[in-house]
Amino acid sequence: MIVGDAKPLEEILRMIEGRPKVLVLGCRGCVTVCNVGGEKEVGVLATALRIARKKRGLAPTVDERTLERQCDPEYIEELADVAEGYDAIISIACGVGPQFVSERYPKAPVFPGINTTFIGGALAHGMWSERCQSCGDCLVHHFGGLCPIARCSKSLMNGPCGGSAGGKCEIGPEVDCVWHLIVEKMERMGRAEELERVWPVKNWITARDGGPRRRIREDLKL
């Protein structure tokens, strides 16, 4: 799941300053699950913008819309009749959303309403933790199903650093040392000897370092 944080209201107000007709555009995908960009959050942000603009003597025209997803062209197409009639569209999807809307509607000024932070999972209600850096070459099966790239503060592939203690990372007592967890898990599975393997420097060309990535599935293309 892609996790994000809402931008401060004042930052959004500065972005749309001088733009009277505004659309707050939500997404029913990941950002709904992490409670920053779904239909409820669209309503909250739109109301806050109306109140703030009215207090400043500005036109409070703020419309609301939530798409099934902002990362699929078929849903972006639902805005065809209205998108370019707005002075500002505030996308509260992940970082893909404002880009897809901007690309489809080149005359529409689109602004991000959230900060995309990481790919993670829910630990508890209202709590998410990073689990993946989308490096493009998943190796978690060699590490007990745990990712040292995303979960080690130094992305170490060959065991823990010298700073961990008591199963915790040196950056803070609230952060588990993933290498401590990896060793424990591999020992429980009777596979601890596999950790003696020395991994070479990771080839990051499959990650973002190789440039913007694209995948084409010929079996799915129409």
Side-chain angles (χ1 to χ4, degrees):
M1 178 177 68
I2 298 173
V3 180
D5 299 307
K7 282 183 174 291
L9 180 62
E10 286 300 321
E11 180 180 349
I12 295 175
L13 286 168
R14 287 194 298 271
M15 289 192 295
I16 63 171
E17 188 175 356
R19 301 177 182 276
K21 190 175 182 182
V22 176
L23 173 67
V24 178
L25 185 65
C27 176
R28 293 191 176 94
C30 299
V31 290
T32 290
V33 181
C34 67
N35 298 101
V36 293
E39 191 166 3
K40 180 183 74 175
E41 290 74 35
V42 166
V44 170
L45 176 57
T47 299
L49 290 173
R50 292 185 193 110
I51 293 172
R53 285 158 68 100
K54 190 172 183 179
K55 285 182 177 179
R56 299 179 186 190
L58 304 173
T61 305
V62 181
D63 294 337
E64 305 173 23
R65 187 92 173 248
T66 303
L67 302 180
E68 192 63 30
R69 287 189 295 277
Q70 289 190 37
C71 57
D72 280 339
E74 62 181 298
Y75 299 113
I76 299 292
E77 198 63 31
E78 294 176 14
L79 300 173
D81 295 334
V82 298
E84 294 182 347
Y86 284 98
D87 301 304
I89 297 176
I90 303 170
S91 168
I92 54 173
C94 73
V96 175
Q99 295 187 69
F100 261 41
V101 176
S102 293
E103 290 168 14
R104 172 60 183 84
Y105 305 106
K107 294 181 180 179
V110 184
F111 301 88
I114 74 169
N115 297 318
T116 305
T117 49
F118 57 78
I119 300 174
L123 299 182
H125 185 68
M127 181 186 299
W128 297 270
S129 180
E130 185 170 17
R131 288 292 184 270
C132 179
Q133 287 190 1
S134 59
C135 73
D137 183 19
C138 191
L139 300 171
V140 298
H141 55 296
H142 293 293
F143 305 101
L146 306 172
C147 180
I149 297 169
R151 299 182 63 184
C152 171
S153 300
K154 301 175 183 177
S155 296
L156 298 179
M157 297 276 291
N158 290 292
C161 69
S164 61
K168 298 298 181 180
C169 176
E170 64 180 336
I171 70 169
E174 74 285 355
V175 181
D176 291 327
C177 170
V178 73
W179 270 104
H180 181 88
L181 300 177
I182 288 170
V183 171
E184 285 190 333
K185 180 71 182 294
M186 293 294 273
E187 286 179 341
R188 284 196 295 269
M189 294 189 295
R191 294 172 51 196
E193 71 281 356
E194 294 179 33
L195 296 178
E196 296 177 6
R197 173 178 177 176
V198 177
W199 289 87
V201 175
K202 182 173 173 58
N203 180 3
W204 291 100
I205 197 168
T206 58
R208 179 61 184 82
D209 302 62
R213 292 167 285 184
R214 175 177 290 191
R215 293 293 177 270
I216 298 175
R217 284 276 303 274
E218 296 292 344
D219 57 318
L220 297 179
K221 289 176 65 178
L222 296 177

